[in-house]
Amino acid sequence: MKTYMETTPIELHPFSQSIHSIVEQHVQAANKTGGDDPFIVGDLGDVIYKYRNWLRNLPRVKPFYAVKCNDDSTVLKLLADLGANFDCASKAEIQKVLSLGVPAGRIIYANPCKQASMLRYAAKHGVSMMTFDNEAELHKVKSIYPDAKLVLRILPPSNFKVQCELGIKFGCHPSKALNLLQLARDLDLNVMGISFHVGSGCEEPEAFSVAIQQARVVFDQGLDLGFPMTLLDIGGGFPGHEAAPVKFETVAKTVDMALDRYFPSEEGVEIISEPGRYFVASAFTLGVNIIAKRVVSRDQQGENGELIDQPSLSEEPAIMYYVNDGVYGSFNCLLYDHAEVSVNTLKNADEDDDEFKYESSVWGPTCDGLDCILKSVPMGMHDVGEWLYFRDMGAYTVSAASTFNGMPAPTRTYMCDADLWYEVYPNVCKSYHKAGVCKGLPKMKAGHSLQEEWSPAPGCAESFVCN
Ligand SMILES: Cc1ncc(COP(=O)(O)O)c(C=O)c1O
């Protein structure tokens, strides 16, 4: 039986609610208690949807979720329960996944340059599937874990547009693959497959088809050398949010066609992949509080290039907003992931459309001038203490965030559409109901009514927390 994280409260909602209204509810709750810390709302229903959508669109491809993208324990546990496998890059990531009860066989150690002690840890715990792309790694594996099941990572073509290049660091050029495979054979190692990563946030689906074609050539070299060659790993790079330059479904179609052509299912090669962004990007929404604000002159600078604090009476000012998460925290994605973010306010659409917009900038809370989230963005006038929010903050955000300057990490809460939750955890949730530990926590705004098919357990209000 699946046992869900007993200690993590999950807000279950009787029907889908907009992110805007979820954020509104959090802000109302925070305002009541005088709370002003930044917060993240993780929509687990979104992760469930993504998982199912993957299976629908890429039924041949087993996902190994890339833990580096977002190592949130609640998300990892849910993905494990849904049946996902995992791509880990270090001992700590392997430990974290194993601690959820995931068997070692559902993990790929997808780091072609592994620290020796971490490789020893993998060997001790039976995490045998791992990537390599260089000679030194083969000698290391030979001395530490000669029974490992090796997957050669090749370098895919670099002429396609991606958000984050990975080929500058990893991947054996296909023209050198034969030499590496020969060395693996001379060392009596087990090579079981080929992998590649087209680059994170791939914007052109053809990158996958060309890489799959290239992988076929190297795959055949492996077969010719006598390796069993049972696996193709098509890496990550899949888009994870609505506004991505290319739709996941479009990429999936191209991948599926290329697989059918170069690795037809009759051949029986196992196809896996290492998606990160796809599963989590849209699941996290970040709420931040405006902790300070400066009204400055729009055009004029002082003698030393500083902004002039007081615009003249006739001049339209620019506004600098300071919020309590920044590039040293969740917005590290601006630096490391080359991400772009857009800001949302809690004003409703009509109000927002009608409002005059000032040239504004949004800054993080630390003392570093680098800590800028948005350099120039048109925004209505906001007061200190108001809240802003950012959607699509699930990928490459929390996993690399620091608390530099003592700025706290956002609190995290989780929510899910109740029907979806029950589909994944039918027994657990219902037993909570029966045991009467389901706390009634009204969350609905006045005037909202329940959907007819929703019948809350006795004592439960419209929306509740299982804990
Ligand atoms: C080896 C490896 N696999 C998978 C991923 C996940 O990629 P994405 O988030 O683009 O799906 C990465 C990202 O850097 C990676 O380095």
Side-chain angles (χ1 to χ4, degrees):
M1 189 178 96
K2 289 166 188 161
T3 53
Y4 202 69
M5 42 274 178
E6 282 84 9
T7 51
T8 309
I10 314 293
E11 281 179 31
L12 298 183
H13 293 274
F15 51 85
S16 299
Q17 299 193 25
S18 69
I19 288 292
H20 188 92
S21 79
I22 299 282
V23 173
E24 247 173 6
Q25 291 167 35
H26 278 261
V27 163
Q28 278 164 12
N31 287 346
K32 261 191 202 149
T33 59
D36 58 3
D37 283 336
F39 63 86
I40 281 172
V41 184
D43 182 356
L44 301 180
D46 196 64
V47 178
I48 297 170
Y49 168 80
K50 289 285 189 64
Y51 187 78
R52 292 176 172 180
N53 196 41
W54 180 282
L55 299 186
R56 259 195 305 275
N57 284 277
L58 285 171
R60 287 189 63 194
V61 186
K62 262 195 202 170
F64 282 61
Y65 170 66
V67 175
K68 60 183 81 66
C69 184
N70 182 335
D71 62 350
D72 180 281
S73 302
T74 304
V75 169
L76 293 182
K77 181 72 172 94
L78 173 62
L79 281 168
D81 287 341
L82 286 168
N85 310 285
F86 295 90
D87 150 11
C88 299
S90 63
K91 174 182 169 182
E93 287 187 358
I94 294 173
Q95 245 168 354
K96 197 161 188 177
V97 171
L98 290 176
S99 75
L100 298 172
V102 174
R106 279 171 60 187
I107 296 174
I108 181 167
Y109 191 176
N111 185 340
C113 300
K114 294 169 273 299
Q115 188 176 316
S117 55
M118 297 194 188
L119 182 54
R120 258 179 239 116
Y121 179 85
K124 189 170 164 203
H125 290 85
V127 177
S128 58
M129 191 164 41
M130 58 187 67
T131 59
F132 74 102
D133 68 359
N134 63 83
E135 289 188 11
E137 195 70 6
L138 285 179
H139 289 291
K140 195 194 299 166
V141 171
K142 176 70 185 174
S143 69
I144 295 175
Y145 197 1
D147 291 335
K149 294 177 190 150
L150 295 168
V151 179
L152 170 57
R153 177 160 165 184
I154 58 167
L155 179 69
S158 60
N159 53 324
F160 296 100
K161 193 154 184 245
V162 296
Q163 189 173 327
C164 275
E165 281 268 5
L166 297 174
I168 47 166
K169 189 167 181 190
F170 293 120
C172 162
H173 193 279
S175 64
K176 306 250 173 66
L178 186 57
N179 288 346
L180 261 190
L181 289 170
Q182 271 163 344
L183 175 62
R185 195 186 55 180
D186 294 346
L187 292 171
D188 200 20
L189 293 169
N190 314 307
V191 177
M192 66 176 303
I194 304 297
S195 80
F196 60 79
H197 195 307
V198 294
S200 192
C202 178
E203 299 185 12
E204 298 180 77
E206 297 70 32
F208 280 93
S209 38
V210 176
I212 290 169
Q213 179 183 12
Q214 210 175 48
R216 180 73 235 189
V217 174
V218 183
F219 196 91
D220 287 340
Q221 290 174 346
L223 283 173
D224 290 345
L225 285 172
F227 290 115
M229 304 304 281
T230 54
L231 182 114
L232 172 71
D233 173 358
I234 63 171
F238 301 87
H241 67 294
E242 251 328 280
V246 60
K247 294 257 165 289
F248 167 72
E249 288 73 10
T250 312
V251 177
K253 209 170 194 171
T254 305
V255 166
D256 209 38
M257 278 165 55
L259 289 176
D260 282 350
R261 179 159 178 201
Y262 298 107
F263 291 87
S265 45
E266 309 84 78
E267 202 183 352
V269 174
E270 184 180 11
I271 315 288
I272 70 166
S273 80
E274 302 164 3
R277 186 185 303 284
Y278 167 76
F279 279 118
V280 291
S282 52
F284 277 25
T285 299
L286 171 68
V288 294
N289 193 263
I290 299 175
I291 56 171
K293 159 183 169 180
R294 285 173 70 192
V295 178
V296 295
S297 169
R298 211 152 72 103
D299 306 314
Q300 294 169 26
Q301 294 191 332
E303 274 171 21
N304 300 316
E306 79 279 14
L307 293 165
I308 296 175
D309 252 323
Q310 292 303 324
S312 68
L313 281 178
S314 59
E315 191 188 6
E316 181 193 312
I319 321 287
M320 297 171 75
Y321 292 108
Y322 299 76
V323 299
N324 50 5
D325 198 354
V327 301
Y328 287 93
S330 310
F331 291 101
N332 70 81
C333 59
L334 299 175
L335 303 180
Y336 302 140
D337 191 35
H338 312 290
E340 286 170 15
V341 294
S342 44
V343 62
N344 300 280
T345 74
L346 285 172
K347 292 183 175 155
N348 66 40
D350 290 348
E351 239 182 314
D352 200 43
D353 286 349
D354 291 348
E355 201 182 20
F356 184 81
K357 302 288 188 295
Y358 296 88
E359 184 184 323
S360 307
S361 51
V362 182
W363 302 77
T366 68
C367 298
D368 190 349
L370 176 80
D371 196 359
C372 181
I373 299 165
L374 288 162
K375 283 197 169 69
S376 175
V377 58
M379 286 174 75
M381 188 61 85
H382 296 276
D383 292 330
V384 170
E386 277 186 49
W387 295 82
L388 304 172
Y389 70 96
F390 295 81
R391 306 176 68 133
D392 304 320
M393 288 296 289
Y396 305 105
T397 50
V398 293
S399 52
S402 79
T403 53
F404 176 55
N405 263 192
M407 301 304 170
T411 56
R412 291 187 208 175
T413 54
Y414 305 90
M415 54 167 268
C416 191
D417 176 292
D419 287 343
L420 276 179
W421 192 253
Y422 282 156
E423 281 169 27
V424 180
Y425 297 106
N427 302 326
V428 175
C429 265
K430 286 191 179 132
S431 70
Y432 278 126
H433 267 265
K434 281 198 197 109
V437 285
C438 180
K439 278 198 258 163
L441 286 185
K443 292 275 180 197
M444 310 282 282
K445 288 208 296 193
H448 283 220
S449 61
L450 294 173
Q451 284 184 332
E452 277 185 68
E453 61 273 24
W454 176 256
S455 49
C460 278
E462 299 91 327
S463 153
F464 51 83
V465 172
C466 274
N467 61 4

